[in-house]
Amino acid sequence: MKKVFLLIGLLGLVVSCSLDDNNTNVNYEFVPVVDYELPDTLVYGQRYQFPVSYVSPSSCNQFYGFDYDIEDSTRFVYVVNKVFENETCTETPTDTVETLLNFEVVYKYDYIFKFFNGVDENDEATYLTDTIPVKR
C-alpha cells in the first residue's frame, strides 16, 4: 500500500512540474528613489510604514522589495526591482510607483536615512538624506 501512495505521489509531482520556463530570465536591480515621507520625529519601540516612490524604468520592472545597509545610525535604503529579460517591454520612465517601507525603531539614537537616488557622472552612488530624531 505504501508503494502505491509513493508511486501516485511521484506521478503527481512529475505531471505538475514543467521544465519549460519560456526562456524567461530574471535580474534584480536598484532603482532610484524619487520621493519619500518620513515623520519629524520617531518614537522608540514604534513601528512605521514610510511611503517611498520611485520611477519604474519599463513594463518589465516589478517591485521586489527593499535592501538595506547599516552603518552605525545610518540606514542606506535601496528599492529593488525584478527585471524580466526576454520579454516585450514598453519604456515607462514617467510611471511613478509608491510602496511602503516597514521600519521599527529599535535604538534610542537619531536615525540617518539615505535613500539611493542613482549614480553620478563618476559612477558614485547618490542619496536623498534625512536625519530623524528619536523621542526617548
Short mmCIF file of all heavy atoms in Angstrom, two decimals, residues 30 48 50 52 63 65-71 74-80 100-104 113-115:
data_model
loop_
_atom_site.label_atom_id
_atom_site.label_comp_id
_atom_site.label_asym_id
_atom_site.label_seq_id
_atom_site.Cartn_x
_atom_site.Cartn_y
_atom_site.Cartn_z
N PHE A 30 18.78 47.88 -8.54
CA PHE A 30 18.34 49.00 -7.71
C PHE A 30 17.76 50.06 -8.63
O PHE A 30 18.28 50.32 -9.71
CB PHE A 30 19.52 49.61 -6.95
CG PHE A 30 20.13 48.71 -5.92
CD1 PHE A 30 21.49 48.75 -5.70
CD2 PHE A 30 19.38 47.83 -5.18
CE1 PHE A 30 22.08 47.94 -4.74
CE2 PHE A 30 19.95 47.01 -4.23
CZ PHE A 30 21.31 47.06 -4.01
N TYR A 48 6.64 51.81 11.92
CA TYR A 48 6.18 52.79 10.94
C TYR A 48 6.12 52.16 9.56
O TYR A 48 6.78 51.16 9.29
CB TYR A 48 7.14 53.99 10.88
CG TYR A 48 7.21 54.79 12.15
CD1 TYR A 48 8.09 54.43 13.17
CD2 TYR A 48 6.40 55.89 12.34
CE1 TYR A 48 8.16 55.16 14.35
CE2 TYR A 48 6.45 56.63 13.52
CZ TYR A 48 7.34 56.25 14.51
OH TYR A 48 7.40 56.99 15.67
N PHE A 50 6.72 53.91 5.91
CA PHE A 50 7.09 55.12 5.19
C PHE A 50 6.75 54.95 3.71
O PHE A 50 7.22 54.00 3.08
CB PHE A 50 8.59 55.41 5.30
CG PHE A 50 9.11 55.50 6.70
CD1 PHE A 50 10.34 54.95 7.02
CD2 PHE A 50 8.41 56.14 7.71
CE1 PHE A 50 10.86 55.04 8.30
CE2 PHE A 50 8.91 56.23 9.00
CZ PHE A 50 10.14 55.68 9.29
N VAL A 52 7.41 55.35 -0.02
CA VAL A 52 8.61 55.56 -0.83
C VAL A 52 8.19 55.46 -2.30
O VAL A 52 7.49 54.52 -2.69
CB VAL A 52 9.69 54.49 -0.52
CG1 VAL A 52 10.89 54.66 -1.42
CG2 VAL A 52 10.09 54.56 0.95
N PHE A 63 8.30 45.66 -8.66
CA PHE A 63 8.83 45.84 -7.31
C PHE A 63 9.11 44.49 -6.67
O PHE A 63 8.28 43.58 -6.70
CB PHE A 63 7.84 46.62 -6.44
CG PHE A 63 8.30 46.82 -5.04
CD1 PHE A 63 9.31 47.72 -4.74
CD2 PHE A 63 7.74 46.09 -4.00
CE1 PHE A 63 9.75 47.90 -3.44
CE2 PHE A 63 8.17 46.26 -2.70
CZ PHE A 63 9.18 47.16 -2.41
N GLY A 65 11.32 44.42 -3.50
CA GLY A 65 11.48 44.64 -2.07
C GLY A 65 12.50 45.74 -1.81
O GLY A 65 12.84 46.52 -2.69
N PHE A 66 12.97 45.78 -0.58
CA PHE A 66 13.98 46.75 -0.18
C PHE A 66 15.25 46.02 0.23
O PHE A 66 15.20 44.89 0.72
CB PHE A 66 13.49 47.58 1.02
CG PHE A 66 12.39 48.54 0.68
CD1 PHE A 66 11.06 48.22 0.91
CD2 PHE A 66 12.68 49.78 0.13
CE1 PHE A 66 10.05 49.09 0.61
CE2 PHE A 66 11.66 50.67 -0.18
CZ PHE A 66 10.34 50.33 0.06
N ASP A 67 16.37 46.69 0.03
CA ASP A 67 17.65 46.21 0.52
C ASP A 67 18.18 47.30 1.44
O ASP A 67 17.91 48.48 1.22
CB ASP A 67 18.62 45.95 -0.64
CG ASP A 67 19.84 45.17 -0.22
OD1 ASP A 67 19.83 44.57 0.87
OD2 ASP A 67 20.83 45.17 -0.97
N TYR A 68 18.93 46.89 2.47
CA TYR A 68 19.41 47.84 3.47
C TYR A 68 20.89 47.62 3.73
O TYR A 68 21.36 46.49 3.69
CB TYR A 68 18.69 47.65 4.81
CG TYR A 68 17.21 47.60 4.72
CD1 TYR A 68 16.54 46.39 4.59
CD2 TYR A 68 16.46 48.75 4.79
CE1 TYR A 68 15.17 46.33 4.50
CE2 TYR A 68 15.08 48.70 4.70
CZ TYR A 68 14.44 47.49 4.56
OH TYR A 68 13.08 47.45 4.47
N ASP A 69 21.57 48.68 4.03
CA ASP A 69 22.91 48.63 4.60
C ASP A 69 22.85 49.47 5.86
O ASP A 69 22.21 50.52 5.88
CB ASP A 69 23.97 49.19 3.65
CG ASP A 69 24.38 48.19 2.58
OD1 ASP A 69 24.28 46.98 2.82
OD2 ASP A 69 24.77 48.64 1.49
N ILE A 70 23.51 49.00 6.90
CA ILE A 70 23.51 49.71 8.18
C ILE A 70 24.93 50.03 8.56
O ILE A 70 25.80 49.16 8.58
CB ILE A 70 22.86 48.85 9.28
CG1 ILE A 70 21.40 48.54 8.92
CG2 ILE A 70 22.95 49.53 10.64
CD1 ILE A 70 20.72 47.55 9.85
N GLU A 71 25.18 51.31 8.84
CA GLU A 71 26.46 51.77 9.36
C GLU A 71 26.16 52.69 10.55
O GLU A 71 25.69 53.81 10.35
CB GLU A 71 27.25 52.54 8.30
CG GLU A 71 27.79 51.67 7.19
CD GLU A 71 28.60 52.47 6.18
OE1 GLU A 71 28.94 53.65 6.44
OE2 GLU A 71 28.86 51.91 5.11
N THR A 74 23.22 55.16 10.53
CA THR A 74 22.82 55.43 9.16
C THR A 74 22.18 54.19 8.54
O THR A 74 22.71 53.09 8.66
CB THR A 74 24.02 55.88 8.31
OG1 THR A 74 24.61 57.04 8.91
CG2 THR A 74 23.61 56.21 6.89
N ARG A 75 21.04 54.42 7.88
CA ARG A 75 20.34 53.35 7.17
C ARG A 75 20.34 53.70 5.68
O ARG A 75 19.72 54.67 5.26
CB ARG A 75 18.89 53.19 7.65
CG ARG A 75 18.75 52.89 9.13
CD ARG A 75 19.43 51.57 9.49
NE ARG A 75 19.27 51.19 10.87
CZ ARG A 75 20.16 51.44 11.83
NH1 ARG A 75 21.25 52.11 11.55
NH2 ARG A 75 19.96 51.02 13.06
N PHE A 76 21.09 52.93 4.89
CA PHE A 76 21.09 53.07 3.44
C PHE A 76 19.94 52.21 2.92
O PHE A 76 19.88 51.02 3.20
CB PHE A 76 22.41 52.59 2.85
CG PHE A 76 23.59 53.44 3.24
CD1 PHE A 76 24.30 53.15 4.39
CD2 PHE A 76 23.97 54.51 2.46
CE1 PHE A 76 25.39 53.93 4.76
CE2 PHE A 76 25.06 55.28 2.82
CZ PHE A 76 25.77 55.00 3.97
N VAL A 77 19.01 52.83 2.17
CA VAL A 77 17.82 52.13 1.72
C VAL A 77 17.81 52.10 0.19
O VAL A 77 17.99 53.13 -0.46
CB VAL A 77 16.54 52.84 2.23
CG1 VAL A 77 15.29 52.09 1.78
CG2 VAL A 77 16.57 52.98 3.75
N TYR A 78 17.58 50.90 -0.36
CA TYR A 78 17.56 50.69 -1.80
C TYR A 78 16.25 50.01 -2.19
O TYR A 78 15.84 49.05 -1.56
CB TYR A 78 18.71 49.78 -2.23
CG TYR A 78 20.07 50.28 -1.82
CD1 TYR A 78 20.60 49.94 -0.57
CD2 TYR A 78 20.82 51.08 -2.66
CE1 TYR A 78 21.85 50.40 -0.18
CE2 TYR A 78 22.07 51.54 -2.28
CZ TYR A 78 22.58 51.20 -1.04
OH TYR A 78 23.82 51.66 -0.66
N VAL A 79 15.61 50.52 -3.25
CA VAL A 79 14.45 49.84 -3.83
C VAL A 79 15.00 48.84 -4.84
O VAL A 79 15.80 49.18 -5.70
CB VAL A 79 13.50 50.83 -4.52
CG1 VAL A 79 12.41 50.10 -5.28
CG2 VAL A 79 12.89 51.79 -3.50
N VAL A 80 14.55 47.59 -4.72
CA VAL A 80 15.00 46.52 -5.62
C VAL A 80 13.84 46.15 -6.54
O VAL A 80 12.73 45.90 -6.08
CB VAL A 80 15.46 45.27 -4.83
CG1 VAL A 80 15.93 44.19 -5.78
CG2 VAL A 80 16.55 45.64 -3.83
N LEU A 100 5.50 50.85 0.39
CA LEU A 100 5.68 51.17 1.81
C LEU A 100 6.90 50.47 2.38
O LEU A 100 7.07 49.26 2.18
CB LEU A 100 4.43 50.77 2.61
CG LEU A 100 3.16 51.53 2.27
CD1 LEU A 100 1.98 50.92 3.03
CD2 LEU A 100 3.30 53.01 2.61
N LEU A 101 7.71 51.23 3.07
CA LEU A 101 8.88 50.71 3.77
C LEU A 101 8.51 50.51 5.23
O LEU A 101 8.15 51.46 5.92
CB LEU A 101 10.05 51.70 3.65
CG LEU A 101 11.26 51.44 4.52
CD1 LEU A 101 11.95 50.14 4.13
CD2 LEU A 101 12.24 52.61 4.41
N ASN A 102 8.56 49.27 5.69
CA ASN A 102 8.30 48.97 7.10
C ASN A 102 9.56 49.24 7.91
O ASN A 102 10.65 48.81 7.52
CB ASN A 102 7.87 47.51 7.27
CG ASN A 102 6.54 47.24 6.61
OD1 ASN A 102 5.60 48.01 6.76
ND2 ASN A 102 6.46 46.16 5.87
N PHE A 103 9.40 49.93 9.02
CA PHE A 103 10.55 50.28 9.84
C PHE A 103 10.16 50.26 11.31
O PHE A 103 9.10 50.76 11.69
CB PHE A 103 11.06 51.69 9.47
CG PHE A 103 12.31 52.07 10.18
CD1 PHE A 103 13.53 51.56 9.80
CD2 PHE A 103 12.27 52.95 11.25
CE1 PHE A 103 14.69 51.89 10.47
CE2 PHE A 103 13.42 53.30 11.93
CZ PHE A 103 14.63 52.77 11.54
N GLU A 104 11.03 49.67 12.13
CA GLU A 104 10.81 49.64 13.57
C GLU A 104 11.97 50.35 14.26
O GLU A 104 13.13 50.10 13.96
CB GLU A 104 10.72 48.20 14.08
CG GLU A 104 10.43 48.12 15.56
CD GLU A 104 10.24 46.69 16.05
OE1 GLU A 104 10.37 45.75 15.25
OE2 GLU A 104 9.95 46.53 17.24
N PHE A 113 18.67 58.49 7.42
CA PHE A 113 18.18 57.70 6.30
C PHE A 113 18.82 58.22 5.03
O PHE A 113 18.79 59.42 4.75
CB PHE A 113 16.66 57.80 6.18
CG PHE A 113 15.93 57.11 7.29
CD1 PHE A 113 15.54 57.83 8.42
CD2 PHE A 113 15.64 55.77 7.21
CE1 PHE A 113 14.86 57.20 9.45
CE2 PHE A 113 14.96 55.12 8.24
CZ PHE A 113 14.58 55.84 9.37
N LYS A 114 19.38 57.31 4.24
CA LYS A 114 19.96 57.64 2.94
C LYS A 114 19.29 56.75 1.91
O LYS A 114 19.55 55.56 1.85
CB LYS A 114 21.47 57.43 2.94
CG LYS A 114 22.21 58.42 3.81
CD LYS A 114 23.71 58.26 3.66
CE LYS A 114 24.41 59.42 4.32
NZ LYS A 114 25.15 60.22 3.38
N PHE A 115 18.39 57.37 1.13
CA PHE A 115 17.67 56.65 0.09
C PHE A 115 18.44 56.74 -1.22
O PHE A 115 18.74 57.84 -1.69
CB PHE A 115 16.27 57.23 -0.09
CG PHE A 115 15.36 56.98 1.08
CD1 PHE A 115 15.31 57.89 2.14
CD2 PHE A 115 14.57 55.85 1.13
CE1 PHE A 115 14.48 57.66 3.21
CE2 PHE A 115 13.74 55.62 2.21
CZ PHE A 115 13.69 56.52 3.26
#
